[in-house]
Amino acid sequence: MSTQQPDDTIRAIEATLFASEEPMSVEALAGHLGGLENAIVRDGLQSLQEHYADRGVHLVERGKRWHFETAPDLAHLLRREREQVRRLSRAATEVLAIVAYHEPVSRAEIESIRGVQTAKGTLDVLMEAGWIKLAGRREVPGRPVIYATTQEFLDHFGLSSRRDLPGIDELKAAGLLDPVDDAYDALQEEAEAAMQASQEADDHDEDEADALEGLDEPAA
Amino acid sequence: MSTQQPDDTIRAIEATLFASEEPMSVEALAGHLGGLENAIVRDGLQSLQEHYADRGVHLVERGKRWHFETAPDLAHLLRREREQVRRLSRAATEVLAIVAYHEPVSRAEIESIRGVQTAKGTLDVLMEAGWIKLAGRREVPGRPVIYATTQEFLDHFGLSSRRDLPGIDELKAAGLLDPVDDAYDALQEEAEAAMQASQEADDHDEDEADALEGLDEPAA
Amino acid sequence: MNDDGLLIDMPGSTDDASDWAGPAAPAKGDDSALYLELEGWEGPLDLLLDLARRQKVDLRQISILALVDQYLGYIEKAEALRLELAADYLVMAAWLAYLKSALLLPKDEQEDPSPEELALRLQLRLQRLGAMREAAARLMARDRIGRDIFLRGAPEGLRIDRKTQWKSDSFALIQAYGQVKARTAPKIYHVSDRPVMTLESALDRVSAMLGLTLEWMEIREFLPPHAEPRLRKSALASSFVAALELARLGKAEIAQEEIFGEMRIRRIKQ
């Protein structure tokens, strides 16, 4: 690791590679820096590479071209995931339940069981959650795709198999088949969820705008 | 210049700022790095800034946001043939300076300083460049819109904050950022005070000099 | 600058190779150059400022009278060249001509605001504009991003993927299914049989009973004697309708003394 002050050649190579939009060869660097000798550029690159070896950014050579890149052990910083726990909406829960009880099942079948139209997004959410998957196509006219539950679904809901799901009679005994006038509620909920999703996207934008605003203020 | 091996926080800040497409605030960095404390991020930035101080790339703070950029003394090497900075008309540069030094400022105020009407296009050009923005309305009759400079303005001109504007302290001290009316009143008061002082010193010679007269004449 | 500061020579005559050709000193007598320069100036205050700077002195010490002279000279010259002057220029010229005359007149003949005040204000304005113009130049001369300073050419970019972790439980699942079932199950309505007296049988019964006597009979007397209450209700309704039908056919008459009172029926003798 070089600790002494870098000389001007090194600084110039450093700045050039930093600002370049593409990796640069020794020759291109030499040319850019007013016709330096290749050997000098090579020495400079060598010393820069050593300097950056234990930093958060590395100087690397790929196919004779040099560029800076994030240290491999920090690559995870480039792509962060922010997890957010959300409760499944009632509409999505209904669809999931129908898939679980009737699988494999097509969207049209789900709709006919639910008695209401099902937003495309609802199935997407369930796929994203990893609880349902495509299970081929039904060999009927139109060959609709059919859905089935996954192992993850069983894990999440603590079921060892689909047979663990209570049957209709048990549901009745538990009073779960008592009519509830909730088709409207479910639809309402679906609409609300959609609205919320779009609001969240907006909020995100606003946050950013706010951040900008705050930063922009002159320290008068 | 720090010579010892950078710790993981510093490496992470370094990598994040290198990779970021935009300058980042301490808060944004802390958030990105999984909720580090701001103070720790600030320390890390400080130490990185020192480390890079004599390198070809510098770490700088602009309006509370940080980014890496090439060292100014290397400009002659890096300056690109195709000029990327659009040339502003003289009128536009003056308007920009007036907004920067007087912000927030209305169009009428800009015009009263320049003594000429400002074409609508001039403000548009500056807004399009991202250097000025609407900053609300002045709560006076007519509620004129007022303009202020942006974060990008600070970035582009390499200013840490508006206090960094060249010569702003001197201009302020000299009253050159005050409206003409205020300056005139101040001068008048000064002149009266001077007259009073000279009257006291020389009390049998009253009614002599019009203090204002002196102001228009060159101090020979 | 000469002694009293109000009578200054045109600085153009000093030929001090100024950094730019001011309008008061048209470049080497080239008339067309004047016109081109005119385009570069946007208005009177601007032009005055340039004139002021050409005196190469501190604006605070500049002679407004000299400045006015130069400006008026410029306007005159421009007119001689038949240049079209913006109204701005002419308004300023008129104002400055007034200011000049005021500055030359003895003080006691003057009104408010005094020419000194006007001159001072003009000076203050010029100073402020000059300061801003200088500030603009300093700003533009800074190391600017994209010209002197460069950001990273190919930043990898930071991306934050928002991932939603969905949560639910088996009770919610089962309950949801139950509700779907409950909501969509075909509904069957059971209508249980109940004893009724049809209109036909009531008609037969009422006509038969009326045939026995010519006396008034209360409608309840036509009902089957030991009927259960529900059949009785039905019989009452049917018997009433039967009575109305018989009345319509002219076979019986109906009487009721008061609302909700006893209803009586009697055969009409034919």
Side-chain angles (χ1 to χ4, degrees):
Chain A
M1 178 179 169
S2 91
T3 55
Q4 68 277 55
Q5 203 153 320
D7 69 23
D8 278 351
T9 306
I10 291 181
R11 293 179 72 242
I13 296 172
E14 190 177 27
T16 305
L17 282 178
F18 172 84
S20 170
E21 281 160 18
E22 294 173 351
M24 289 177 85
S25 65
V26 170
E27 293 70 28
L29 274 166
H32 188 87
L33 298 174
L36 279 184
E37 275 176 42
N38 289 352
I40 291 178
V41 171
R42 227 170 260 124
D43 284 352
L45 285 167
Q46 184 73 32
S47 125
L48 273 174
Q49 191 168 38
E50 279 163 27
H51 172 80
Y52 278 96
D54 50 18
R55 302 208 61 90
V57 170
H58 290 176
L59 180 60
V60 294
E61 183 185 6
R62 298 254 185 275
K64 308 223 169 198
R65 287 155 173 266
W66 293 77
H67 72 118
F68 281 110
E69 65 176 35
T70 311
D73 65 310
L74 296 173
H76 65 278
L77 291 175
L78 302 185
R79 204 113 305 167
R80 291 228 87 135
E81 282 197 351
R82 197 159 288 173
E83 288 216 330
Q84 184 184 18
V85 176
R86 276 178 66 186
R87 207 173 163 80
L88 204 57
S89 73
R90 188 147 114 202
T93 309
E94 283 187 13
V95 172
L96 179 62
I98 291 167
V99 176
Y101 274 89
H102 296 263
E103 75 178 42
V105 67
S106 70
R107 183 166 161 193
E109 288 158 357
I110 293 170
E111 290 183 350
S112 97
I113 295 168
R114 263 191 94 203
V116 286
Q117 282 213 332
T118 297
K120 175 84 175 67
T122 308
L123 285 164
D124 290 346
V125 162
L126 294 172
M127 301 251 269
E128 186 199 312
W131 292 337
I132 68 170
K133 62 180 180 200
L134 295 176
R137 290 175 179 278
R138 170 110 50 236
E139 289 307 333
V140 296
R143 302 187 68 243
V145 294
I146 48 181
Y147 300 89
T149 54
T150 62
Q151 179 63 42
E152 272 173 69
F153 162 77
L154 295 176
D155 294 346
H156 186 92
F157 289 88
L159 302 165
S160 52
S161 89
R162 280 181 54 238
R163 270 171 304 205
D164 280 3
L165 289 169
I168 294 292
D169 292 343
E170 288 162 291
L171 291 178
K172 196 174 208 168
L176 287 170
L177 285 187
D178 295 344
V180 183
D181 189 15
D182 61 354
Y184 176 78
D185 291 350
L187 279 178
Q188 190 89 340
E189 211 177 274
E190 228 163 319
E192 268 166 26
M195 200 167 71
Q196 202 175 18
S198 80
Q199 255 174 354
E200 265 164 34
D202 288 352
D203 285 351
H204 183 60
D205 292 349
E206 266 166 35
D207 286 351
E208 273 174 6
D210 285 348
L212 277 177
E213 203 86 322
L215 289 168
D216 216 359
E217 279 180 8
Chain B
M1 178 179 170
S2 87
T3 56
Q4 66 277 56
Q5 202 152 320
D7 69 24
D8 280 350
T9 306
I10 290 181
R11 291 181 71 241
I13 296 172
E14 188 178 28
T16 304
L17 282 178
F18 251 80
S20 175
E21 280 153 348
E22 288 174 352
M24 289 177 84
S25 66
V26 170
E27 292 72 26
L29 274 165
H32 191 81
L33 298 175
L36 278 185
E37 273 175 46
N38 290 351
I40 291 177
V41 172
R42 231 172 256 125
D43 285 351
L45 286 166
Q46 185 73 31
S47 120
L48 273 173
Q49 191 169 38
E50 280 163 25
H51 172 81
Y52 277 95
D54 48 19
R55 303 207 61 90
V57 170
H58 290 175
L59 178 61
V60 295
E61 182 186 6
R62 302 282 179 249
K64 308 217 171 186
R65 299 209 284 170
W66 295 77
H67 68 248
F68 280 109
E69 61 178 34
T70 57
D73 65 304
L74 298 171
H76 61 286
L77 285 172
L78 302 173
R79 201 163 279 148
R80 311 214 164 131
E81 300 79 39
R82 47 196 165 92
E83 184 143 314
Q84 296 188 320
V85 177
R86 235 193 322 169
R87 294 198 70 84
L88 282 183
S89 71
R90 208 203 53 193
T93 64
E94 282 179 23
V95 171
L96 179 62
I98 291 169
V99 174
Y101 284 78
H102 291 82
E103 77 178 41
V105 66
S106 70
R107 184 162 159 192
E109 287 157 355
I110 295 169
E111 290 180 348
S112 97
I113 292 169
R114 293 194 64 225
V116 287
Q117 286 210 331
T118 296
K120 179 84 176 65
T122 307
L123 285 164
D124 287 350
V125 162
L126 294 173
M127 297 233 265
E128 199 193 314
W131 291 339
I132 69 170
K133 63 177 181 196
L134 296 175
R137 293 175 178 278
R138 176 127 25 248
E139 289 306 334
V140 297
R143 302 187 71 240
V145 294
I146 47 181
Y147 299 88
T149 54
T150 62
Q151 171 78 34
E152 277 131 299
F153 166 79
L154 296 178
D155 285 347
H156 184 88
F157 291 96
L159 302 163
S160 319
S161 75
R162 275 189 63 241
R163 267 180 298 191
D164 248 19
L165 284 168
I168 191 163
D169 291 339
E170 292 85 337
L171 290 173
K172 227 179 235 168
L176 285 171
L177 298 182
D178 300 335
V180 168
D181 286 346
D182 294 359
Y184 179 79
D185 292 347
L187 277 180
Q188 200 141 11
E189 262 168 45
E190 239 171 82
E192 266 164 29
M195 193 168 75
Q196 211 168 17
S198 83
Q199 267 179 344
E200 272 163 22
D202 191 19
D203 51 5
H204 44 265
D205 210 347
E206 296 146 82
D207 279 354
E208 203 205 17
D210 181 354
L212 276 178
E213 187 189 4
L215 289 167
D216 194 29
E217 292 193 353
Chain C
M1 219 178 272
N2 65 15
D3 290 350
D4 68 3
L6 293 178
L7 301 165
I8 195 167
D9 285 334
M10 292 275 282
S13 61
T14 63
D15 196 24
D16 57 355
S18 53
D19 31 321
W20 56 357
K28 320 293 175 267
D30 181 354
D31 290 346
S32 66
L34 178 60
Y35 180 71
L36 291 175
E37 284 155 11
L38 182 59
E39 293 221 303
W41 276 270
E42 293 187 40
L45 199 54
D46 238 2
L47 177 52
L48 274 177
L49 181 65
D50 288 320
L51 293 171
R53 287 164 63 101
R54 283 183 48 74
Q55 290 192 344
K56 303 241 169 215
V57 287
D58 185 340
L59 268 171
R60 276 168 302 181
Q61 301 190 4
I62 209 158
S63 158
I64 290 296
L65 189 55
L67 203 58
V68 168
D69 273 337
Q70 289 177 40
Y71 184 86
L72 296 177
Y74 166 72
I75 296 291
E76 229 167 74
K77 180 134 195 153
E79 270 178 352
L81 291 169
R82 293 199 190 104
L83 298 178
E84 284 192 30
L85 288 177
D88 275 2
Y89 284 68
L90 296 176
V91 170
M92 185 64 114
W95 187 80
L96 289 174
Y98 164 75
L99 179 57
K100 177 179 172 181
S101 67
L103 283 168
L104 293 173
L105 282 174
K107 281 185 190 35
D108 44 344
E109 292 174 23
Q110 291 168 14
E111 323 150 2
D112 267 335
S114 69
E116 281 83 4
E117 178 180 338
L118 294 178
L120 180 55
R121 282 180 183 276
L122 178 57
Q123 210 162 36
L124 291 171
R125 288 186 72 181
L126 290 177
Q127 252 180 292
R128 272 152 189 73
L129 179 57
M132 280 303 104
R133 188 168 286 180
E134 205 177 300
R138 288 173 73 180
L139 205 51
M140 292 301 141
R142 287 184 68 84
D143 289 327
R144 291 162 63 184
I145 285 181
R147 188 183 71 175
D148 313 291
I149 300 287
F150 296 89
L151 302 178
R152 182 133 184 243
E156 290 91 343
L158 300 175
R159 219 178 80 198
I160 294 172
D161 296 330
R162 293 200 168 200
K163 200 182 163 198
T164 308
Q165 175 85 55
W166 293 100
K167 192 179 88 173
S168 187
D169 56 61
S170 55
F171 179 72
L173 187 75
I174 294 160
Q175 190 186 40
Y177 190 68
Q179 287 175 2
V180 169
K181 279 307 198 189
R183 191 169 72 220
T184 59
K187 290 192 173 63
I188 299 162
Y189 296 94
H190 295 280
V191 182
S192 44
D193 265 350
R194 46 181 296 196
V196 292
M197 177 181 281
T198 62
L199 181 57
E200 286 77 18
S201 61
L203 259 180
D204 292 346
R205 189 179 166 83
V206 171
S207 356
M209 288 177 77
L210 281 179
L212 298 179
T213 172
L214 275 170
E215 297 304 303
W216 285 101
M217 290 174 74
E218 215 275 309
I219 192 162
R220 282 176 219 283
E221 294 174 40
F222 296 93
L223 305 186
H226 302 297
E228 55 153 325
R230 285 193 302 175
L231 176 60
R232 220 178 137 76
K233 229 176 193 171
S234 167
L236 178 62
S238 304
S239 302
F240 173 60
V241 176
L244 291 177
E245 179 63 13
L246 290 173
R248 186 181 70 84
L249 295 172
K251 294 183 175 166
E253 54 187 342
I254 304 174
Q256 189 177 32
E257 305 293 331
E258 55 185 347
I259 295 173
F260 298 121
E262 211 170 57
M263 181 185 276
R264 291 173 302 153
I265 304 165
R266 183 175 70 175
R267 176 163 64 113
I268 293 175
K269 213 169 135 191
Q270 285 164 337

